[in-house]
Amino acid sequence: MNDTQRHTLLRLARETIIAAVQAIPSPRADSPASEVPHEGVFVTVRVGASLRGCMGNLDPSIPIEEAVRRAATLVVTADRRFPALRPDELPHLTIELHVLRNFERFTRENEVTPGIHGLLIEHLGRRGLLLPSVATEHGMDAAAFLDAVCAKAGLPARAWNDADATLTRFLDECIIDRP
């Protein structure tokens, strides 16, 4: 992505979050970002150092502006792990926009580089995804990161070793908008 595309998408994410918190219509984007290739988009929000939500989608068929709008709305309205954002918190909001690319299936632990690759597991009707930054933030090696994505999916540790588990790694371009 170029600087104009990054700025446009971050502005769209922030304006969409503000609209969702204030219960007003979401903005539309008229941007040069629609050519940005993606295989998924996630939006992470923090107030100060506190994580307050992380939601996204893995639909590469929709334009990136719509993917950002959807993820930004979901992070405010659908991530029940965290308390709802309040209007007075908006000026203190840090937004991370994650553009996911290069999804590749893999089978062995040594094919994952923590901090570089994100992980997706699909197994026994469950699915879990962790962004690359999770491994970095928690000092995980590849095995711990694989166990963590299993936990995220509600699977037991080491479920990634099951022959019928589908493991996918991906790259993440993360851009951050701080208050």
Side-chain angles (χ1 to χ4, degrees), residues 10 77 86 163 168 172:
L10 279 173
T77 62
R86 299 182 318 267
T168 305
D172 164 24

Side-chain angles (χ1 to χ4, degrees), residues 94-135:
T94 297
I95 299 168
E96 298 173 13
L97 175 61
H98 302 267
V99 179
L100 313 183
R101 294 192 188 98
N102 300 343
F103 279 65
E104 298 178 305
R105 295 242 171 114
F106 70 99
T107 57
R108 295 185 309 274
E109 174 184 345
N110 67 355
E111 296 177 89
V112 175
T113 305
I116 301 294
H117 294 117
L119 297 177
L120 171 66
I121 186 168
E122 297 170 289
H123 186 47
L124 300 175
R126 297 180 178 262
R127 182 172 166 171
L129 181 142
L130 290 175
L131 298 168
S133 58
V134 172

Side-chain angles (χ1 to χ4, degrees), residues 63-87:
I64 194 164
E65 293 93 347
E66 182 59 26
V68 168
R69 248 192 311 280
R70 288 181 188 181
T73 300
L74 286 172
V75 79
V76 174
T77 62
D79 196 341
R80 304 288 179 226
R81 299 172 294 174
F82 303 95
L85 285 173
R86 299 182 318 267

Side-chain angles (χ1 to χ4, degrees), residues 1 3 9 13 17 22-23 39 42 53 56 62 78 85 95 102 107 118 134 138 148 152 162-165 173:
M1 281 187 284
D3 287 341
L9 292 173
I17 288 168
Q22 296 176 342
E39 293 177 58
F42 273 71
I62 60 175
L85 285 173
I95 299 168
N102 300 343
T107 57
V134 172
H138 298 282
K152 178 80 181 268
D162 292 354
D164 55 342
E173 182 173 352

